[in-house]
Amino acid sequence: MNIQTAVLPPHAEMVRAMLASDTAYEGVFFTAVKTTGIFCRPTCTARKPKPENVEFFAHADECLSAGYRACLRCKPLDAAAIAPDWVQRLLKAVDADPELRWSDAQLLAEGIEPLKLRRWFKQHFGMTFLAWLRTRRLGVALGGIKQGTSIDHAAFDSGYESLSGFRDAFQKSFHITPGRAAASEPLLFTRLTTPLGPMIAMAERRGLVLLEFLDRPALTREVEELQNRYGYVVAPGQNAHLQQIDNELALYFAGKLSEFSVPLHLPGSEFARQVWAELRQIPYGQTSTYGTIAARLGKPGASRAVGLANGHNRLSIVVPCHRVIGADGSLTGYGGGQPRKAFLLRLENAAVQLTQQLAF
């Protein structure tokens, strides 16, 4: 049984989202084109069909049951925005030999078009492949400096032939000198795939710090705040917290996890942390309001301040700001987009209902 209930957004809304390739609707619905017999993601880059030739489905399996075949361009049967095979092979090669300097000639020898690779990394990591590779090497150097490696050794171990070149690259990437980095906190990030589109997760040694959809408008501001206000040095990488949230998200979207156990670290004001703590108290499958949270904090007139703190939450889904709705029952705002908010609420409600049915 697919617990992601088949409730769809209004037809006119889906037509608009399809024509605009709105990423907020990734995984929320699929478009099936009657004239070609093909079904796609709403964000497919192929030429848009006429609205009168399209019907919409909530799930890929419903499209298949109706006789449609999957689009070869957007691959709707894959996990949303999953890295294609050629990217996955390249990432494995980087892990196997992190010191290898990749040139366009080497990429072409592996059957990878450099311009295509550049576009993919810009879209999914916000930087080119070569910039990502450079930042990754510098991140390893940062880890060495934190553990007592001298700056000279860190520079040459990272492949830099001059100490000045290493210092310049380090400061350009991390906005801090190598000397000061020894006292800073590394914040490692990775890209995750979900049914609702790609997300970015960031974690330090104490826990998960950020989990956001990559198309969230405020993401750049949030990362800059973590760097400038809280002194984090951001670099690509992996740690136990990032691996844990990847596993827990998969279970959550499968309807098999109602409470996250990944350790969290939440930099912010005292009031914001109080609001975020209250968000985590909203039961799975239920909702609350800004007014209710303000009252629970003993500040019944602070609904607007609660809403502001709610909007500054950096941990989408895990700190469930999607469970906060308007006093009139409306969905209100959500950083990842209201379609995703509606999807998450439907997912949780369906899982609760299924659990209750199985209990009898």
Side-chain angles (χ1 to χ4, degrees):
M1 177 180 178
N2 192 330
I3 68 166
Q4 297 170 5
T5 176
V7 177
L8 288 167
H11 186 271
E13 183 181 335
M14 290 189 289
V15 169
R16 183 208 62 78
M18 174 195 71
L19 295 176
S21 296
D22 193 334
T23 57
Y25 289 79
E26 182 68 50
V28 175
F29 68 85
F30 293 87
T31 63
V33 186
K34 301 173 186 176
T35 52
T36 63
I38 292 173
F39 74 97
C40 304
R41 306 177 189 277
T43 55
C44 185
T45 57
R47 182 179 178 181
K48 298 298 182 182
K50 295 180 179 179
E52 58 267 26
N53 292 332
V54 171
E55 59 180 328
F56 299 100
F57 295 91
H59 311 297
D61 55 359
E62 294 174 350
C63 299
L64 294 171
S65 297
Y68 291 96
R69 62 186 185 278
C71 173
L72 296 178
R73 177 173 296 190
C74 66
K75 299 180 179 179
L77 294 177
D78 292 346
I82 194 169
D85 291 341
W86 56 275
V87 172
Q88 293 187 48
R89 288 197 304 272
L90 179 61
L91 294 178
K92 289 179 181 178
V94 171
D95 286 337
D97 189 358
E99 295 183 7
L100 179 64
R101 298 302 183 100
W102 288 85
S103 65
D104 286 355
Q106 287 171 307
L107 291 171
L108 289 170
E110 294 293 329
I112 298 173
E113 170 57 47
L115 184 58
K116 184 179 180 182
L117 178 65
R118 178 187 179 89
R119 289 198 194 103
W120 191 91
F121 264 79
K122 284 288 288 183
Q123 179 183 359
H124 296 286
F125 281 104
M127 63 182 75
T128 66
F129 170 66
L130 294 180
W132 176 85
L133 205 59
R134 182 170 58 252
T135 306
R136 188 181 187 277
R137 286 198 300 269
L138 291 170
V140 173
L142 170 64
I145 292 171
K146 291 286 294 183
Q147 294 174 12
T149 300
S150 71
I151 295 175
D152 287 6
H153 284 147
F156 294 119
D157 289 345
S158 301
Y160 286 84
E161 297 180 357
S162 73
L163 189 57
S164 61
F166 172 74
R167 289 180 182 276
D168 290 345
F170 195 97
Q171 187 160 7
K172 183 177 180 181
S173 290
F174 299 142
H175 309 289
I176 192 173
T177 64
R180 291 181 57 197
S184 65
E185 183 67 47
L187 186 62
L188 302 182
F189 73 86
T190 191
R191 173 185 174 277
L192 307 177
T193 58
T194 79
L196 294 181
M199 301 186 78
I200 184 170
M202 295 184 168
E204 48 128 288
R205 58 183 173 80
R206 288 170 288 189
L208 189 68
V209 174
L210 181 143
L211 179 67
E212 294 282 21
F213 291 100
L214 277 176
D215 59 2
R216 172 171 164 80
L219 177 59
T220 300
R221 174 185 58 77
E222 290 178 338
V223 175
E224 289 176 349
E225 182 183 39
L226 289 170
Q227 291 174 311
N228 300 331
R229 184 174 180 180
Y230 298 105
Y232 282 112
V233 178
V234 178
Q238 273 287 354
N239 60 26
H241 305 315
L242 294 176
Q243 293 168 356
Q244 183 175 350
I245 188 56
D246 194 10
N247 294 332
E248 290 188 355
L249 274 178
L251 293 172
Y252 171 82
F253 279 108
K256 299 177 181 178
L257 182 77
S258 59
E259 186 173 347
F260 293 88
S261 59
V262 60
L264 307 179
H265 182 64
L266 305 168
S269 68
E270 179 63 27
F271 179 75
R273 290 197 299 270
Q274 290 176 357
V275 172
W276 299 336
E278 286 297 327
L279 293 177
R280 298 183 68 194
Q281 297 303 311
I282 304 174
Y284 179 89
Q286 298 183 32
T287 57
S288 187
T289 65
Y290 299 134
T292 299
I293 293 174
R296 287 176 60 89
L297 292 174
K299 301 178 180 180
S303 295
R304 188 170 182 177
V306 167
L308 187 62
N310 188 73
H312 288 165
N313 169 37
R314 303 183 197 93
L315 287 168
S316 179
I317 302 178
V318 176
V319 176
C321 54
H322 62 276
R323 295 177 192 161
V324 181
I325 61 175
D328 60 356
S330 61
L331 289 184
T332 69
Y334 181 62
Q338 286 194 5
R340 288 188 176 120
K341 179 171 184 169
F343 179 99
L344 295 172
L345 293 176
R346 293 198 303 267
L347 171 70
E348 294 180 3
N349 288 334
V352 169
Q353 291 173 12
L354 179 59
T355 301
Q356 291 173 343
Q357 292 171 7
L358 294 176
F360 288 97

